[in-house]
Amino acid sequence: MQHKVIDVKDVVIRFAGDSGDGMQLTGSLFADMSAVYGNGLSTFPDFPAEIRAPHGTVSGVSGFTVHIGSGHISTPGDFCDMLVAMNPAALKTNAKWLKRTALVLIDEDAFDDAGMEKAGFRENPFTELKIEDRTIISAPITTLTYESLKDSGLDHKSIGRCKNMFTLGMACFIYSRPVEYIFGYLEKKFGKKHPELVAPNRKVLQDGYNYASNIQAIPDTYQIEPEHKEPGIYRNITGNQAVAWGLLAAAEKAGLKLFCGSYPITPATAILEELAIHKSLGATTLQAEDEIAGICTAIGAAYAGDLAVTTTSGPGLSLKSEALGLAVMTELPIVIVDVQRAGPSTGIPTKTEQTDLNQVLYGRNGECPLVVMAAHSPANCFDAAFNAAKIALEHLTPVVLLSEGFLGNGSEPWRIPSMADYPEIRPPCARESDRGSFKPFERDPETMARRWAVPGQKGFEHRVGGLEKNHDGVLSSAPENHALMVRERAEKVSRVADCIPALEVDGPQRGPLLVVGWGGTYGHLSSAVAQARSEGMEVSYAHFDYINPLPKNTAEVLAGYDRILVCELNSGHFAGYLRSVLPQFGYMQYNKVEGQPFLVQELVSAIEDALKR
Amino acid sequence: MKYTYTDFKSDQEVRWCPGCGDHAVLAAMQRAMPRVAEALGYEKERFVVVSGIGCSSRLPYYMDTYGFHGIHGRATAISTGIKVANPSLNVWQACGDGDALAIGGNHFIHAVRRNIDINIILFNNQIYGLTKGQYSPTSKFGAITKTSPYGTVEHPFNPGSLVLGAKGTFFARGLDTELKLNEEIMVAAATHNGTSVVEMLTNCVIFNNGAHSTISDRATKADRTIVLRHGEKMIFGKDRNKGLVLDGLKLKVVTIGEKGITEDDILTHDAHEDNIGIHTMLADMKYPEYPVALGVIRDVADVTYDGGVRMQAEQVTAKAKIHCVDDLLRSGSTWEVK
């Protein structure tokens, strides 16, 4: 039968199944394929912390959302155009995200009595969920996968694992994606170690594609034209990968080796894993015995002259607090990457939040300021990490770079830059004229940074440590010296503002409402503001990449609006910070602490409400 | 020799209590470093002294070398970072029994396990001195201190057992009053490739005076300690007539000339033996059943962490296709928009 091919601007597809069903792989393959095809895209993996949660249950559902479009895509989308539900539990947890026009593709084999009971369904799940008006494509995916591979020579269990490829084949047909890209991927993944898996996976993928094209159940197929993008070489990149690469880029520009001391922690581990690969670029990774050793080895490496970093998430950051104070006191350049997750304590490790801001701003003993920055999209993590390292090295200060699980695991297409376009990084190294009389805490009058001498340099022997010292590096508990050093350390951090870009405003410089955000909410906030404006609302938007210090023109920008609405995925950390730093303004808040990103729709409503008040 | 001990003395006033055992350990270190520089062909600027928190951790300020006074318990992690970042440095670490074995116990055992080439000088006075007299993880069972007014009810660590249990490659024990021996041990520790742990038995005149007096008193020291040297007979005593033999599965003290025992029956110390069995027994010896072992108990060669890191980096780099960040950015799947 001839299907009608409909051109659409963008679609949101959510792949959902048991945590062992391979949904993360299926979703990311679909995303990569769309990226190569030239679509704009944004992804959002949403999975449980358990590696294999109880089979078939609601708590074990793993999802991967891909939003693709022919224009720029800045969020993974609120509601989906197609839901792939590999079992009843996946349908149950995701039904609320269905658009009215959505397709639902289910593996009907999994919708047996046992599956329905595990998900807590009594009768017809579609009626129970009130989604019987959606287009349901019910396919016996498990049976068809076994049928497809019965002569493959694979054992029963291995065949069962291939059903995600059958599903992916169906999705490829529905969205007019060529399966050839996946063939290439399969060759790369299995070709060397498991060549026996290449042919069966290819076959089942193709069979899924063919099946979808043969059945009558699929009314239409869709086409999403490639985005008209700036010419160049592109790739798809996750936030964690981009952080790792940005750090490598900074090390190269500074002419230093990169040292990363870290302890594995969700959702930051992929940065350590990525850096561990790149020994040929001078990266050394040390998987430490704990979080504290992670940062302390980094502090040691910074003292010895490396670009030193440690990567972590909230609970790990808590453990590093005392050592962060040591880095502030010894004035050594280290970068701490915190990929935030839902807390407190262990919280919900795989879910995203912005709840560590207060901790990085205030969570240390003594007067202990450091530079705080935030990345705003997966690809932006590259520049954010580069800039964090540049500031750390040029101002001799620890810098905390805040990322989020949403950014770290999420991905988007990225136009590959050339390193020639990035600035050199020039740390304030000890001067030849100081040989023999080096004063470790004497400062550059402009930046207030001290100079960096490293062991092995003759005539620069000096001691650093956690005890208060004077400019000469000699221990001092004199009241006036302590007051001076406290002031100077703070002044050094605040002068970083001289070297960061001004705050930009999306929209008019004056008006009734300014929406303010920071970090990974950028995509949602910019989409919401654009939508609100298209609906006739008068609203501007400012997004902060630099939190401490704030851009120098912050007060000037904020002064232009009647109301300021600070939107963040916590109970109001940034709003509270702005209140204390710039108390002359009033701040309204929109907050969400559910371990989930914002929805564009709820933000548009919040903007509307703010304008009414 | 190119350097003398004064080259390693800083201009800072030493602020330990008069009579503290740490003074003697500092002196031994300042005397050992010129010899280490000579033996390894190192310039002074390649020496780094790291410490944690505690009385003994003030030591870096008294050395005219690069120095890092860290935070409580973390010296070993800081030393590790320094050594991995620049393996050509000679990294020394001063830490106390509380610092290394209580709050820093985790870093300590993992450094030993990794066999990273650092020299840990562990000042063991069996007390928390800087916080004024609480029991430490090496305080004797029943020790009466400010936080154990009725005596402790916990067993102490033997640092040697910890090191050997983690398959350490170097363990030695010194005694604060033995300046020459300590200097000799420190030279051996610093020239050993791998983690060297030197337990320095030190006295705290204020909070644990006489911590080691049962073995350190001049009158009885020769009978209550044994100095082990590789390749030499395990003989001790004022009259050099006592020795150690194996009796079944245990060590036993015998007297040469009694019951037909001759010098030939006495064990010869082999610090290079890979099996930790005899080294564990020697490190565990306690007075009065045995003399307390001093000197280098274990010194075996093995792969070091810093060496492994470097070697792997060279091997990977030799085969790598990615040599700069531009290569990296263009690696893997990419597509072109024209």
Side-chain angles (χ1 to χ4, degrees):
Chain A
M1 121 180 204
Q2 200 59 23
H3 294 89
K4 192 163 71 173
V5 181
I6 302 174
D7 276 311
V8 285
K9 239 179 96 240
D10 69 310
V11 290
V12 177
I13 302 156
R14 191 170 173 96
F15 295 92
D18 222 28
S19 52
D21 279 345
M23 289 299 102
Q24 301 301 318
L25 175 65
T26 312
S28 54
L29 277 175
F30 193 85
D32 285 355
M33 179 174 48
S34 301
V36 172
Y37 183 66
N39 291 129
L41 79 101
S42 169
T43 67
F44 177 47
D46 187 21
F47 46 89
E50 296 81 6
I51 303 301
R52 293 282 184 276
H55 181 78
T57 59
V58 168
S59 68
V61 173
S62 168
F64 192 102
T65 308
V66 191
H67 185 187
I68 54 176
S70 48
H72 177 72
I73 297 293
S74 51
T75 78
D78 296 358
F79 296 93
C80 58
D81 296 279
M82 178 164 91
L83 170 66
V84 175
M86 298 300 283
N87 65 20
L91 182 70
K92 187 170 201 177
T93 50
N94 291 292
K96 60 177 182 258
W97 302 117
L98 291 173
K99 287 186 185 166
R100 294 232 74 91
T101 53
L103 295 179
V104 181
L105 169 60
I106 64 160
D107 177 7
E108 68 182 38
D109 295 323
F111 282 67
D112 55 5
D113 291 347
M116 302 278 262
E117 200 188 321
K118 274 187 202 163
F121 286 122
R122 291 212 196 95
E123 302 155 33
N124 181 330
F126 302 101
T127 323
E128 261 184 63
L129 295 167
K130 301 193 176 67
I131 53 169
E132 63 270 49
D133 57 340
R134 310 301 204 281
T135 307
I136 314 287
I137 306 166
S138 179
I141 293 173
T142 306
T143 309
L144 291 166
T145 302
Y146 281 111
E147 183 60 29
S148 164
L149 295 181
K150 65 175 192 285
D151 301 323
S152 64
L154 293 185
D155 59 59
H156 190 77
K157 202 172 159 193
S158 304
I159 294 178
R161 285 211 194 101
C162 294
K163 65 183 176 197
N164 62 333
M165 285 295 148
F166 191 93
T167 315
L168 183 57
M170 290 185 73
C172 285
F173 173 77
I174 298 169
Y175 291 101
S176 316
R177 313 271 103 175
V179 286
E180 285 71 25
Y181 170 81
I182 318 267
F183 289 166
Y185 165 83
L186 293 171
E187 189 65 46
K188 240 189 234 169
K189 180 172 165 78
F190 298 123
K192 271 190 195 154
K193 276 191 181 159
H194 298 287
E196 76 281 3
L197 293 177
V198 177
N201 274 290
R202 260 180 93 134
K203 179 168 190 307
V204 77
L205 181 73
Q206 187 69 59
D207 285 352
Y209 187 93
N210 295 345
Y211 172 80
S213 76
N214 292 335
I215 54 170
Q216 306 281 320
I218 297 172
D220 306 306
T221 62
Y222 303 88
Q223 180 145 314
I224 307 99
E225 284 300 314
E227 186 189 356
H228 294 289
K229 283 193 262 195
E230 199 182 335
I233 312 277
Y234 283 76
R235 68 178 311 127
N236 202 22
I237 195 160
T238 66
N240 279 340
Q241 193 180 14
V243 163
W245 289 13
L247 293 168
L248 287 164
E252 187 175 279
K253 282 290 177 182
L256 297 174
K257 287 185 292 137
L258 177 67
F259 176 92
C260 177
S262 288
Y263 189 77
I265 184 168
T266 302
T269 316
I271 304 172
L272 173 63
E273 291 172 349
E274 180 65 28
L275 288 173
I277 300 169
H278 300 297
K279 300 190 195 310
S280 69
L281 296 177
T284 302
T285 51
L286 188 150
Q287 184 175 315
E289 56 272 20
D290 58 30
E291 293 281 356
I292 297 170
I295 186 170
C296 287
T297 52
I299 290 172
Y303 181 65
D306 277 2
L307 166 55
V309 306
T310 184
T311 55
T312 191
S313 185
L317 190 74
S318 304
L319 284 163
K320 293 182 199 293
S321 296
E322 187 197 10
L324 271 174
L326 179 66
V328 168
M329 197 64 159
T330 52
E331 304 191 42
L332 284 167
I334 63 167
V335 176
I336 302 95
V337 183
D338 173 17
V339 188
Q340 299 165 92
R341 66 190 219 189
S345 187
T346 311
I348 321 175
T350 56
K351 308 295 176 187
T352 202
E353 249 168 46
Q354 299 184 309
T355 40
D356 291 349
L357 181 58
N358 277 346
Q359 181 179 207
V360 301
L361 286 171
Y362 312 115
R364 292 170 294 284
N365 65 304
E367 297 292 338
C368 201
L370 42 68
V371 177
V372 179
M373 299 172 48
H376 68 242
S377 79
N380 170 257
C381 285
F382 182 86
D383 283 355
F386 183 91
N387 291 332
K390 186 172 192 290
I391 290 171
L393 288 168
E394 293 185 342
H395 298 261
L396 248 61
T397 174
V399 174
V400 174
L401 172 61
L402 292 170
S403 178
E404 290 153 47
F406 174 69
L407 299 180
N409 290 326
S411 68
E412 65 180 342
W414 180 46
R415 185 170 168 272
I416 298 170
S418 163
M419 286 319 296
D421 299 334
Y422 282 75
E424 294 298 317
I425 295 176
R426 293 197 182 86
C429 295
R431 295 165 299 190
E432 187 50 43
S433 56
D434 291 330
R435 188 185 299 279
S437 60
F438 180 61
K439 294 180 169 152
F441 294 95
E442 212 172 42
R443 297 174 188 284
D444 177 302
E446 213 162 282
T447 62
M448 298 297 280
R450 72 177 191 94
R451 293 194 173 272
W452 197 15
V454 301
Q457 281 183 279
K458 194 181 183 68
F460 289 91
E461 286 87 346
H462 66 283
R463 269 69 53 195
V464 297
L467 285 172
E468 185 68 283
K469 296 176 182 60
N470 62 21
H471 288 167
D472 295 350
V474 176
L475 298 188
S476 167
S477 48
E480 59 280 9
N481 179 70
H482 180 50
L484 175 73
M485 294 299 268
V486 164
R487 220 165 39 235
E488 287 185 350
R489 284 188 289 264
E491 182 62 21
K492 177 183 72 173
V493 170
S494 63
R495 287 199 192 177
V496 169
D498 296 337
C499 308
I500 62 175
L503 181 65
E504 285 178 26
V505 174
D506 166 10
Q509 299 289 326
R510 313 211 154 264
L513 179 66
L514 178 73
V515 168
V516 162
W518 64 276
T521 53
Y522 173 74
H524 292 89
L525 285 168
S526 56
S527 303
V529 168
Q531 192 181 320
R533 247 184 244 141
S534 74
E535 292 173 16
M537 292 179 235
E538 215 181 324
V539 55
S540 297
Y541 170 43
H543 195 82
F544 286 80
D545 290 341
Y546 294 87
I547 293 174
N548 190 39
L550 290 167
K552 283 172 108 173
N553 64 332
T554 302
E556 199 185 311
V557 168
L558 299 187
Y561 303 89
D562 303 337
R563 300 181 185 82
I564 299 164
L565 176 65
V566 185
C567 305
E568 46 187 333
L569 296 171
N570 56 41
S571 60
H573 298 202
F574 190 56
Y577 172 68
L578 287 175
R579 275 184 201 110
S580 73
V581 182
L582 297 168
Q584 64 269 45
F585 305 111
Y587 302 90
M588 298 160 80
Q589 294 178 209
Y590 185 73
N591 303 101
K592 172 168 166 175
V593 197
E594 297 175 4
Q596 292 292 330
F598 280 129
L599 301 177
V600 172
Q601 205 45 58
E602 67 188 348
L603 290 170
V604 173
S605 307
I607 291 168
E608 200 174 355
D609 286 351
L611 281 165
K612 277 184 204 148
R613 266 193 277 168
Chain B
M1 267 192 300
K2 189 169 171 177
Y3 298 109
T4 67
Y5 83 96
T6 51
D7 290 313
F8 289 91
K9 253 177 100 161
S10 80
D11 56 0
Q12 303 291 299
E13 181 196 359
V14 179
R15 295 193 191 173
W16 288 317
C17 307
C20 171
D22 295 358
H23 291 282
V25 181
L26 172 66
M29 194 185 281
Q30 286 162 340
R31 282 171 170 77
M33 278 196 184
R35 291 176 57 186
V36 175
E38 178 88 2
L40 298 176
Y42 279 15
E43 300 293 321
K44 198 181 83 165
E45 60 270 18
R46 283 169 70 177
F47 287 80
V48 184
V49 184
V50 181
S51 68
I53 294 292
C55 290
S56 55
S57 287
R58 290 293 182 104
L59 187 136
Y61 295 114
Y62 309 141
M63 303 293 299
D64 190 23
T65 61
Y66 280 94
F68 199 124
H69 182 205
I71 43 177
H72 203 20
R74 317 304 170 200
T76 319
I78 295 168
S79 306
T80 298
I82 292 172
K83 183 68 185 182
V84 174
N86 185 354
S88 74
L89 299 173
N90 198 248
V91 181
W92 295 62
Q93 180 181 318
C95 47
D97 39 302
D99 193 53
L101 304 182
I103 190 166
N106 198 29
H107 310 306
F108 180 81
I109 55 173
H110 287 279
V112 172
R113 170 179 72 81
R114 290 191 185 108
N115 198 32
I116 184 151
D117 186 21
I118 56 176
N119 316 308
I120 300 175
I121 312 298
L122 200 173
F123 293 63
N124 184 3
N125 59 8
Q126 303 179 350
I127 196 79
Y128 282 83
L130 199 61
T131 50
K132 305 186 195 291
Q134 302 78 27
Y135 64 90
S136 91
T138 58
S139 297
K140 292 177 186 76
F141 190 98
I144 291 175
T145 72
K146 284 190 186 156
T147 46
S148 56
Y150 312 109
T152 67
V153 289
E154 52 185 89
H155 297 281
F157 270 143
N158 175 352
S161 306
L162 271 185
V163 172
L164 295 168
K167 207 79 203 293
T169 56
F170 186 102
F171 179 72
R173 190 183 285 131
L175 182 60
D176 51 9
T177 52
E178 300 294 300
L179 191 62
K180 283 304 298 172
L181 176 66
N182 295 347
E183 184 185 324
E184 173 190 326
I185 288 172
M186 286 194 204
V187 171
T191 50
H192 168 77
N193 196 15
T195 306
S196 309
V197 178
V198 177
E199 179 191 12
M200 280 292 169
L201 303 177
T202 53
N203 190 33
C204 174
V205 281
I206 309 295
F207 297 108
N208 197 19
N209 198 17
H212 307 290
S213 58
T214 42
I215 61 162
S216 64
D217 276 354
R218 222 171 265 265
T220 51
K221 184 166 65 188
D223 287 327
R224 296 178 181 183
T225 61
I226 178 168
V227 176
L228 297 171
R229 287 193 174 88
H230 177 74
E232 291 184 13
K233 290 279 180 191
M234 299 185 193
I235 292 175
F236 68 105
K238 190 163 75 232
D239 305 320
R240 302 289 297 164
N241 66 340
K242 288 183 182 152
L244 292 170
V245 297
L246 261 182
D247 180 25
L249 295 173
K250 288 178 73 180
L251 289 170
K252 188 175 138 187
V253 175
V254 294
T255 306
I256 299 165
E258 279 179 12
K259 298 179 187 165
I261 300 277
T262 69
E263 208 175 304
D264 288 346
D265 298 319
I266 306 298
L267 291 169
T268 301
H269 181 47
D270 183 2
H272 304 332
E273 169 57 50
D274 186 57
N275 189 304
I276 60 165
I278 185 99
H279 296 157
T280 305
M281 286 194 268
L282 291 167
D284 272 347
M285 291 194 302
K286 284 180 201 71
Y287 181 79
E289 193 184 357
Y290 297 107
V292 170
L294 303 176
V296 177
I297 294 172
R298 180 175 175 82
D299 180 2
V300 299
D302 205 342
V303 181
T304 65
Y305 180 82
D306 42 306
V309 166
R310 221 173 342 167
M311 202 196 303
Q312 198 176 56
E314 282 164 14
Q315 285 165 353
V316 172
T317 306
K319 284 194 211 155
K321 293 189 186 116
I322 293 173
H323 298 287
C324 64
V325 173
D326 277 324
D327 291 349
L328 174 67
L329 299 181
R330 279 158 185 74
S331 64
S333 27
T334 60
W335 67 95
E336 191 173 2
V337 174
K338 288 186 182 151

